[in-house]
Amino acid sequence: MRIPLSILTAIAAALAVMFAIPNRGAVTLRLWPLAGEAEMPLYLAVFAAVFLGFFLGWIGSWIAQHKWRKRAREQARRIEKLEREILGAAEAAGPKTPEVTKIPAIPLRR
């Protein structure tokens, strides 16, 4: 699993460099409700937008999975409670001696 991930990472890095080198020209970014401006290379603006998109998508999926994480926590608590009940019942019943069955000996040939 590590090798394919490394290969994909190397390909993504190469593509990023191939995009960044010819797109070094300065662009001015203005956000409509804000009065400020920011001047930066085009590749930096594109990479920032892509990063922001991935980050917002990650946050959105994390929020959407809240109910599943909550359910998993509840199930884990229920399992722990049932395990404690089973162990408590087993200890109350007292220790049992395991039955030992004798395995017949297998003769060794020489």
Side-chain angles (χ1 to χ4, degrees):
M1 183 67 183
R2 273 197 178 290
I3 292 175
L5 184 62
S6 298
I7 291 171
L8 287 175
T9 303
I11 291 171
L15 288 174
V17 169
M18 288 171 33
F19 174 79
I21 290 174
N23 293 299
R24 291 179 289 175
V27 293
T28 302
L29 297 179
R30 287 179 224 117
L31 297 177
W32 170 64
L34 304 176
E37 293 181 349
E39 190 168 314
M40 62 181 65
L42 175 63
Y43 72 89
L44 189 60
V46 171
F47 289 159
V50 169
F51 176 76
L52 182 64
F54 276 116
F55 182 71
L56 292 177
W58 175 73
I59 294 292
S61 68
W62 184 77
I63 290 171
Q65 294 170 0
H66 171 72
K67 70 177 183 179
W68 300 112
R69 288 192 310 274
K70 181 180 177 182
R71 185 173 182 188
R73 283 191 304 271
E74 290 170 353
Q75 293 294 327
R77 284 188 213 116
R78 183 170 183 243
I79 289 170
E80 289 175 9
K81 178 184 172 190
L82 292 172
E83 285 176 345
R84 283 193 302 267
E85 287 178 11
I86 290 172
L87 288 176
E91 290 175 359
K96 287 190 173 186
T97 56
E99 292 183 23
V100 178
T101 58
K102 196 161 195 173
I103 300 174
I106 300 174
L108 299 175
R109 295 183 189 176
R110 288 190 183 197

